[in-house]
Amino acid sequence: KATVEAITILAGHLASALVNQALYCSVQQGEASLRLITDSISDLVTLVEPDGRLQYASPSYQRQLGLAPHTLTGSVVTDLVHPEDAAAVSEALSRAAQAPTVEYRLRTADGRWVWVETAVRPAAAAEASLVLSSRIIDERKRLEAELRHQATHDALTGMAASLRFAGPATLETKIFGRLSAWQNWIFQRP
């Protein structure tokens, strides 16, 4: 009878070990799949600790910004951000529960600044870490500036358009605005 009990206990431990091994293999496969995804995407993915230090940076930092991910580990997020944008980034990090997005400039390895848009999200429920998912938006920012310029400058002369009129544009206000731009061009040129 003691032998049967010992064999039963041993079989239970063996069954538990086999289940644990299967679970471990499943976790490893999940981690490998997740690593493959994060290594392949072009978005800049970062895991940030509660104190603002980078815990993980995806390989896309090397491809997009020339920054080796391992050199970023331990850096403070706001140290990589343009000084004029640091307050907005800090504020977005503090509001992670509301899942904010923030636009700011990020330094590249060669010292240039690129515009990025970042979605800030809490990591897992048990962690206090944050996940930052960023993408470079330089082209969008360039197009926005070009559109602002086109909206405020006369297309023919390049001079600043007269923006004195409140309300909807009418044919008369458009003509007067064009005449004002011509008048500015005639009297202000060298």
Side-chain angles (χ1 to χ4, degrees), residues 111-179:
R112 292 179 302 113
W113 295 103
V114 295
W115 279 99
V116 296
E117 179 181 57
T118 298
V120 180
R121 305 290 184 268
E127 296 181 32
S129 299
L130 304 174
V131 176
L132 309 182
S133 178
S134 308
R135 71 178 37 156
I136 296 174
I137 58 168
D138 273 347
E139 182 65 13
R140 185 179 92 196
K141 286 292 194 178
R142 186 190 66 74
L143 289 172
E144 287 173 357
E146 186 178 316
L147 284 173
R148 268 192 305 280
H149 180 79
Q150 288 176 2
T152 59
H153 289 74
D154 183 75
L156 192 56
T157 64
M159 298 293 290
S162 177
L163 302 175
R164 294 181 265 240
F165 306 107
T170 63
L171 180 60
E172 291 81 13
T173 60
K174 288 179 184 179
I175 291 171
F176 188 76
R178 177 60 59 95
L179 289 173

Side-chain angles (χ1 to χ4, degrees), residues 45-49 53-57 123 127 129-132:
V45 179
T46 312
L47 185 61
V48 178
E49 297 173 2
R53 296 193 180 280
L54 275 71
Q55 186 177 356
Y56 168 80
E127 296 181 32
S129 299
L130 304 174
V131 176
L132 309 182

Side-chain angles (χ1 to χ4, degrees), residues 11-160:
H13 287 296
L14 185 58
S16 293
L18 291 173
V19 168
N20 284 345
Q21 179 62 28
L23 289 173
Y24 181 73
C25 287
S26 178
V27 166
Q28 278 186 318
Q29 288 174 342
E31 287 178 352
S33 296
L34 184 59
R35 179 72 58 188
L36 177 64
I37 291 168
T38 59
D39 288 354
S40 302
I41 61 173
S42 60
D43 283 4
L44 307 165
V45 179
T46 312
L47 185 61
V48 178
E49 297 173 2
D51 64 357
R53 296 193 180 280
L54 275 71
Q55 186 177 356
Y56 168 80
S58 65
S60 54
Y61 274 85
Q62 180 72 52
R63 291 188 303 271
Q64 300 284 337
L65 304 175
L67 299 169
H70 71 276
T71 62
L72 297 173
T73 304
S75 302
V76 177
V77 171
T78 52
D79 289 348
L80 306 170
V81 173
H82 192 282
E84 294 175 8
D85 304 329
V89 172
S90 294
E91 195 265 332
L93 294 177
S94 70
R95 294 185 315 106
Q98 288 117 11
T101 58
V102 60
E103 294 178 3
Y104 57 95
R105 289 161 288 181
L106 195 60
R107 186 188 308 271
T108 65
D110 60 7
R112 292 179 302 113
W113 295 103
V114 295
W115 279 99
V116 296
E117 179 181 57
T118 298
V120 180
R121 305 290 184 268
E127 296 181 32
S129 299
L130 304 174
V131 176
L132 309 182
S133 178
S134 308
R135 71 178 37 156
I136 296 174
I137 58 168
D138 273 347
E139 182 65 13
R140 185 179 92 196
K141 286 292 194 178
R142 186 190 66 74
L143 289 172
E144 287 173 357
E146 186 178 316
L147 284 173
R148 268 192 305 280
H149 180 79
Q150 288 176 2
T152 59
H153 289 74
D154 183 75
L156 192 56
T157 64
M159 298 293 290

